[in-house]
């Protein structure tokens, strides 16, 4: 096992598609694109571009790092399923990193990492507590807030954290959902099953 692993990390938990490659203890390449939809179609080509720019091949990777949320339900599922599939296909571990962990890596001392949620709310996790969904006003009453507006920096943080854990990870990454999906149930009438 190399002491300085090569980690490909990515995140699609918000309105972006972001990836970073950590090699030799340094971020070799990081890229991000803003997008409200289309992450599923864009993720693999973006990962290929990051690898090519770093002159790295899939078989050079020691692990995959992935942002597991909280955030956009579909985006989280895209990243986590891609990470699990790549890890299985490459026979390397996939390391799930929460958005709170990535933001804590980037936040100035004394600032509370928050992740923007719909309807003027934020996800927040105070030290020693479970993640919560709060109104922005409630969160601001806790102290100064930090939210990263640079998805490439967040992907880089995911890579750095994954590099610390990759050799001991035992479970595949799983989505971190704080609230239930807000999609309405289907109004379609189920098909009639015929006995035959």
């Amino acid at each position: 096992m190399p002491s300085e692993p090569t980690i490909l990390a990515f995140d699609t938990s918000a309105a972006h598609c972001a990836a970073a490659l950590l090699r030799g203890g340094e971020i070799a390449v990081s890229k991000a694109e803003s997008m409200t939809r289309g992450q599923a179609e864009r993720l693999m080509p973006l990962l290929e571009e990051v690898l090519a720019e770093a002159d790295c091949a899939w078989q050079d990777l020691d692990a995959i790092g992935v942002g597991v949320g909280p955030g956009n339900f579909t985006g989280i599922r895209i990243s986590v399923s891609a990470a699990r599939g790549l890890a299985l296909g490459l026979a390397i571990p996939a390391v799930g990193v929460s958005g709170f962990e990535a933001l804590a890596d980037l936040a100035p001392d004394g600032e509370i990492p928050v992740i923007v949620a719909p309807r003027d709310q934020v996800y927040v996790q105070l030290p020693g507590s479970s993640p919560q969904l709060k109104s922005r006003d409630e969160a601001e009453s806790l102290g100064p807030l930090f939210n990263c507006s640079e998805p490439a920096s967040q992907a880089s943080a995911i890579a750095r954290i994954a590099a610390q854990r990759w050799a001991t990870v035992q479970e595949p990454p799983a989505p971190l959902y704080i609230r239930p999906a807000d999609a309405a149930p289907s109004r379609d009438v189920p098909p009639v099953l015929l006995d035959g």
Side-chain angles (χ1 to χ4, degrees):
M1 238 180 268
S3 59
E4 297 284 358
T6 300
I7 309 280
L8 179 63
F10 50 90
D11 181 68
T12 59
S13 63
H16 61 253
C17 192
L21 182 80
L22 178 89
R23 183 173 52 199
E26 301 290 329
I27 298 297
V29 178
S30 65
K31 289 179 172 253
E33 297 176 13
S34 295
M35 55 180 59
T36 54
R37 33 180 28 134
Q39 289 99 327
E41 294 79 12
R42 184 66 185 119
L43 179 59
M44 294 311 287
L46 181 67
L47 298 180
E48 290 275 359
E49 290 168 19
V50 167
L51 289 171
E53 194 170 317
D55 196 25
C56 188
W58 290 104
Q59 60 268 23
D60 298 331
L61 300 176
D62 293 303
I64 300 291
V66 63
V68 297
N72 175 286
F73 287 94
T74 302
I76 295 168
R77 285 193 300 268
I78 290 166
S79 278
V80 170
S81 60
R84 290 175 74 143
L86 286 168
L88 185 63
L90 297 168
I92 59 176
V95 182
V97 177
S98 79
F100 299 117
E101 293 170 313
L103 290 175
D105 184 72
L106 300 169
D109 286 342
E111 294 192 18
I112 301 166
V114 296
I115 298 167
V116 176
R119 296 183 278 285
D120 202 32
Q121 296 177 309
V122 294
Y123 299 110
V124 63
Q125 183 175 19
L126 297 173
S129 68
S130 298
Q132 298 177 352
L133 181 63
K134 294 187 173 288
S135 73
R136 185 171 291 280
D137 290 341
E138 284 179 295
E140 286 173 349
S141 72
L142 300 171
L145 306 180
F146 174 78
N147 179 262
C148 180
S149 59
E150 299 174 5
S153 295
Q154 194 160 334
S156 296
I158 292 167
R160 287 190 295 273
I161 294 166
Q164 297 167 10
R165 298 183 187 159
W166 75 283
T168 58
V169 71
Q170 296 182 357
E171 296 292 323
L176 174 59
Y177 298 133
I178 308 292
R179 62 183 178 83
D182 51 6
S186 174
R187 294 180 186 212
D188 294 341
V189 177
V192 175
L193 299 178
L194 303 174
D195 290 331

